[in-house]
Amino acid sequence: MKIAIEGCAHGELERIYDTIEGIEKERNIKIDLLLCCGDFQSTRNVTDLQTMAVPRKYMDMCTFYKYYSGERLAPILTIFIGGNHEASNYLQELPYGGWVAPNIYYLGYAGVVNVNGIRIAGISGIYKGHDFLRGHHEFPPYTEQTCRSVYHVRQLEVFRLQQLSGKVDIFMSHDWPRGIQEYGNKAQLLRFKPHFAEDIGSGQLGSRPLEELLKVVQPTYWFAAHLHCKFAALVQHKKNARRNEYADEDSASSDSELEEHDNGDSLETHTPAVTKFLALDKCLPKRRFLQVLDMPTREEETTQLKLEYDLEWLTILYTTNHLISVKDYNYYLPGKKAGSMEERCNFTPTTEELSHISNKFSNLEVPLNFCRTASTFDPVEQQNFKHLYVEQPKAQLNPQCTEFCALLGIDDPLCLAMLANGKQLPQTFSFKQSPAKINTPNTTVVESTEPVAVLATSKRKLNLMLPALKVSELEKNVIELPVEQEADEKPSIVPVTQDAKEEIAPICVSPNLKKLKRRNQSIYQSEDNGEII
Ligand code: 5GP
Ligand code: MN
């Protein structure tokens, strides 16, 4: 399978697809898949632009909106992660991933999918230490602060990715893993980017959690962007990759610690693996922003591309749902250093857990359920948009996420953040499915017609405990959702009131019970009534 990799897209989708078409013609090949490593800028309209962290003069609509409106169709399946210049309100609608336009799939805060058997994992955002241990507390309209913090990587996503046990073929990130420059031609890098020297000297170039993930996940390929240059490296891994040891900022494990704690329990034994790292530039003329790679697929070569959820990843999302926080202060995930021994800290799925999740899905194919939740930019009517004052958008829920959460039995962090802050949930939309299908060489997508707002009539199921006040807020603005019933699930031991017990079904399949340590209780405590969320 031929895969094109793009560094920072910066909204230049038309130019990227044109470049791919040029390569195809020049080399007489067919490119099957495009991977974009962040700064994708999926702005649908002028309102979305207000959520992008960028100085006003650089606020440009670029070309994504044409793919959103249907004016143009992405010619190949495109998978992307988020960076630090995004339509954050739109990406927040799809925390677990989804279609942002026909044939253009966002991986979510973090995600794992399989394309014809090639396993692709990724994480969105950039690393900033001061936000890493916080919950996903942001929602639109953003403040000056949350407009930036919304794209900062959180420990939960890193923790979840650390639980993967199967081989990952491709890993995508926006910033680079810290220290990666040591595995490539550092002298050349510094000739091109001399100002990196200072950051390298102080260990600040690149992301610390990504450095940990690289050691643990050991993917065959790792693609990144953000530093606006092409850089290749080859990482020979040590034999044993350890999981579940990412404790906090100040205690990232050193190699000697890894050996010291090596008791065999939480170790995945790998044959020493090699990761081929490649960072690419941003999409600008004469810059090295695109690379084509030929990758053998595990499945039979076929012209039909199949995008599938990853069962292990779905299971991890499910068994770690109780670890979501939407608080804007630090909290701690279970780990040997932070937690009690009874608390589960290894979420690498068991066979039973995998089969429990497998039973929820008739098949793992990602549904072609793209739908529009916003209007599209009009270049004629709105050509002077830079000179106009435009308000920040309100939060919007996306039916793709609603469906996914209901099917898997997990929570939408955007809903939780709003409810925890006493906000009403926005109305969701229903869509009349158009029978018209757009056939692309690789996939078939069903296009929706314009959304029809519906007043919902029953309650959204929440899996995490929320304070009673906010649950009752929810009742005022309820949303229709298929509510799954699971007889085999055990209740969480997190204390809740009787009211809340009636509202909320528990989440666990196996002994995945959250015990809060004393120091963590205050973090989960609601100010209103002392209940634990
Ligand atoms: P963006 O397009 O995300 O706004 O900015 C990326 C730019 O910031 C690139 O030119 C990149 O070289 C620079 N940059 C990003 N992170 C770092 C860093 O950690 N250290 C240095 N020296 N430059 C950085
Ligand atoms: Mn960037």
Side-chain angles (χ1 to χ4, degrees):
M1 188 158 84
K2 301 227 172 18
I3 304 176
I5 300 108
E6 160 68 41
C8 303
H10 284 293
E12 298 289 356
L13 269 184
E14 255 180 356
R15 185 177 286 167
I16 293 166
Y17 292 133
D18 288 350
T19 308
I20 287 176
E21 199 185 321
I23 294 172
E24 288 181 325
K25 281 192 183 135
E26 192 184 295
R27 300 196 206 163
N28 194 24
I29 56 168
K30 173 84 198 81
I31 292 171
D32 305 289
L33 174 67
L34 169 66
L35 303 178
C36 295
C37 299
D39 286 350
F40 191 78
Q41 299 186 198
S42 56
T43 45
R44 301 163 291 185
N45 52 43
V46 177
T47 317
D48 282 358
L49 260 186
Q50 313 309 310
T51 71
M52 205 166 76
V54 71
R56 205 164 177 79
K57 62 177 174 175
Y58 295 122
M59 266 190 189
D60 207 336
M61 272 312 295
C62 301
T63 52
F64 171 79
Y65 75 91
K66 297 183 186 178
Y67 298 85
Y68 185 72
S69 69
E71 180 187 332
R72 295 202 66 177
L73 176 69
I76 57 175
L77 176 63
T78 302
I79 298 177
F80 76 99
I81 51 160
N84 55 319
H85 298 296
E86 302 297 347
S88 299
N89 60 324
Y90 190 20
L91 297 192
Q92 274 211 291
E93 288 181 24
L94 299 165
Y96 302 113
W99 302 104
V100 295
N103 233 7
I104 304 180
Y105 190 81
Y106 166 56
L107 268 188
Y109 283 128
V112 185
V113 292
N114 292 278
V115 180
N116 290 18
I118 295 180
R119 196 176 197 211
I120 302 170
I123 187 163
S124 294
I126 56 169
Y127 173 67
K128 292 285 171 200
H130 55 268
D131 284 324
F132 185 60
L133 299 178
R134 295 177 204 260
H136 286 289
H137 61 92
E138 302 87 353
F139 55 88
Y142 301 111
T143 63
E144 271 296 307
Q145 223 173 15
T146 59
C147 161
R148 291 174 192 284
S149 66
V150 65
Y151 56 74
H152 293 160
V153 169
R154 302 299 148 89
Q155 59 172 344
L156 178 60
E157 280 69 40
V158 175
F159 180 85
R160 284 172 160 169
L161 286 163
Q162 284 178 316
Q163 313 304 318
L164 293 170
S165 69
K167 182 73 190 155
V168 171
D169 298 303
I170 294 175
F171 196 99
M172 296 161 70
S173 67
H174 186 57
D175 44 4
W176 299 10
R178 187 179 68 167
I180 194 71
Q181 71 283 342
E182 304 303 326
Y183 298 88
N185 191 337
K186 184 167 138 188
Q188 192 187 52
L189 175 69
L190 285 173
R191 272 199 300 278
F192 189 57
K193 295 272 187 186
H195 61 287
F196 285 177
E198 198 180 319
D199 282 356
I200 291 174
S202 59
Q204 308 236 350
L205 191 81
S207 153
R208 193 167 168 167
L210 291 183
E211 180 185 21
E212 287 293 305
L213 273 174
L214 174 61
K215 276 192 222 156
V216 173
V217 179
Q218 304 188 353
T220 310
Y221 289 94
W222 185 302
F223 302 125
H226 190 49
L227 296 189
H228 295 178
C229 62
K230 183 170 179 176
F231 179 73
L234 200 64
V235 182
Q236 174 75 64
H237 295 285
K238 301 223 166 74
K239 194 167 183 183
N240 289 324
R242 265 163 56 75
R243 293 170 201 284
N244 307 325
E245 281 300 316
Y246 200 86
D248 62 55
E249 276 268 86
D250 304 318
S251 58
S253 317
S254 66
D255 288 345
S256 57
E257 272 179 290
L258 294 188
E259 276 142 30
E260 190 186 312
H261 289 278
D262 179 351
N263 60 10
D265 289 349
S266 59
L267 285 176
E268 280 287 327
T269 309
H270 288 265
T271 48
V274 173
T275 296
K276 293 171 200 159
F277 174 86
L278 180 67
L280 289 159
D281 208 334
K282 72 190 278 193
C283 180
L284 281 177
K286 302 204 172 120
R287 302 281 279 268
R288 297 191 286 178
F289 61 85
L290 203 73
Q291 177 89 27
V292 179
L293 173 91
D294 199 354
M295 213 167 160
T297 51
R298 289 206 189 89
E299 294 176 5
E300 232 174 83
E301 286 283 347
T302 156
T303 50
Q304 191 68 35
L305 276 202
K306 203 165 58 174
L307 177 67
E308 291 177 305
Y309 293 124
D310 184 87
L311 182 60
E312 190 179 36
W313 179 249
L314 293 178
T315 311
I316 292 165
L317 288 180
Y318 182 78
T319 55
T320 59
N321 186 64
H322 64 299
L323 299 176
I324 295 175
S325 163
V326 290
K327 292 289 187 185
D328 70 349
Y329 38 79
N330 293 357
Y331 75 115
Y332 292 87
L333 291 176
K336 281 190 192 150
K337 285 176 192 159
S340 77
M341 291 313 282
E342 300 116 74
E343 188 179 5
R344 180 176 180 181
C345 61
N346 181 349
F347 290 89
T348 297
T350 62
T351 317
E352 293 76 43
E353 286 170 336
L354 289 170
S355 94
H356 179 84
I357 299 304
S358 173
N359 289 337
K360 289 170 179 261
F361 289 78
S362 54
N363 68 66
L364 290 175
E365 262 182 66
V366 175
L368 298 172
N369 56 356
F370 164 71
C371 47
R372 291 191 195 88
T373 49
S375 61
T376 310
F377 176 64
D378 182 333
V380 179
E381 291 279 306
Q382 298 169 309
Q383 55 182 308
N384 288 327
F385 71 88
K386 276 197 185 183
H387 307 292
L388 301 173
Y389 171 76
V390 183
E391 275 194 358
Q392 281 262 338
K394 294 203 170 61
Q396 174 76 56
L397 301 181
N398 194 302
Q400 292 180 66
C401 179
T402 309
E403 261 175 48
F404 180 82
C405 289
L407 183 59
L408 187 54
I410 60 172
D411 290 301
D412 176 350
L414 179 59
C415 289
L416 294 178
M418 295 187 73
L419 294 171
N421 284 281
K423 305 286 178 201
Q424 291 203 355
L425 291 180
Q427 283 180 8
T428 191
F429 295 103
S430 76
F431 291 81
K432 287 181 191 157
Q433 285 290 312
S434 155
K437 288 191 172 184
I438 303 167
N439 289 309
T440 71
N442 305 307
T443 59
T444 305
V445 292
V446 178
E447 209 192 13
S448 308
T449 54
E450 287 308 304
V452 183
V454 287
L455 258 181
T457 51
S458 68
K459 295 185 192 81
R460 172 181 288 271
K461 178 187 170 189
L462 287 173
N463 298 288
L464 277 183
M465 314 306 172
L466 279 167
L469 172 76
K470 282 133 198 181
V471 172
S472 62
E473 279 288 322
L474 173 64
E475 287 180 15
K476 288 187 208 150
N477 186 26
V478 288
I479 286 173
E480 188 158 19
L481 264 185
V483 174
E484 62 161 10
Q485 292 296 337
E486 291 197 10
D488 60 335
E489 288 186 343
K490 297 185 194 120
S492 163
I493 58 165
V494 179
V496 286
T497 61
Q498 192 54 39
D499 278 354
K501 275 180 193 158
E502 282 162 13
E503 294 286 339
I504 300 157
I507 59 160
C508 314
V509 10
S510 60
N512 168 26
L513 304 176
K514 182 173 177 60
K515 262 190 192 163
L516 295 173
K517 294 179 295 300
R518 190 178 292 274
R519 76 171 163 158
N520 278 358
Q521 290 209 6
S522 62
I523 292 166
Y524 284 84
Q525 208 93 28
S526 140
E527 297 80 355
D528 311 316
N529 55 10
E531 283 175 28
I532 303 233
I533 60 170

